[in-house]
Amino acid sequence: MGFETVGFVSWRAGSFDGRTPYWEIGIALLPEYRGRGIGWRAQAVLTTYLFEHTPVQRIQAATHPENIAEQKALEKAGFRLEGVIRGCEFRAGKLRDGYLYSRLRDDPEPELGNGSVTGAR
């Protein structure tokens, strides 16, 4: 059985007050692998891993307001929308808003199920 690279997940450290760390996660999938449940599961598994192996209480992720698929993926991965980050990114010639999501250590973990992520669309 071989493995294919379908995208990647990333994480970086942050802190609002300089003392209380959090992780911010991100994901990118190749277009042909989107819509199969890979993304939300990858984000859920990464979040669980970070909670199990680091002492942080918070993991967050940001997305664009027009990225409905990522918003649904984050919610399925157990994240909650916190709010709009106004004018946070200069893209396509103007300042754009972002949406900030988070999952706290004591939030419920999502049910990963046993659905296949390798099936054809």
Side-chain angles (χ1 to χ4, degrees):
M1 176 163 103
F3 293 97
E4 290 181 62
T5 299
V6 302
F8 66 89
V9 290
S10 62
W11 62 98
R12 67 179 180 92
S15 177
F16 291 108
D17 64 2
R19 296 177 309 194
T20 310
Y22 65 81
W23 294 110
E24 181 158 352
I25 66 169
I27 189 166
L29 291 178
L30 293 170
E32 61 267 29
Y33 294 99
R34 295 175 188 162
R36 298 187 188 186
I38 297 169
W40 79 263
R41 284 184 174 93
Q43 291 175 104
V45 169
L46 174 59
T47 299
T48 297
Y49 177 87
L50 291 171
F51 280 141
E52 287 178 356
H53 295 280
T54 68
V56 301
Q57 297 298 313
R58 170 190 178 81
I59 298 175
Q60 67 181 42
T63 189
H64 303 116
E66 65 273 12
N67 192 344
I68 305 300
E70 175 60 359
Q71 293 165 39
K72 289 179 181 179
L74 286 167
E75 290 168 4
K76 202 164 183 180
F79 284 74
R80 296 183 192 171
L81 177 64
E82 292 189 328
V84 176
I85 310 166
R86 298 181 314 139
C88 67
E89 178 183 43
F90 191 79
R91 184 171 46 89
K94 66 180 189 176
L95 284 172
R96 306 288 179 134
D97 294 345
Y99 285 174
L100 184 63
Y101 285 79
S102 72
R103 194 167 124 195
L104 303 182
R105 181 176 289 278
D106 59 354
D107 286 343
E109 285 194 40
E111 178 61 46
L112 293 177
N114 61 356
S116 172
V117 296
T118 59
R121 295 170 98 185

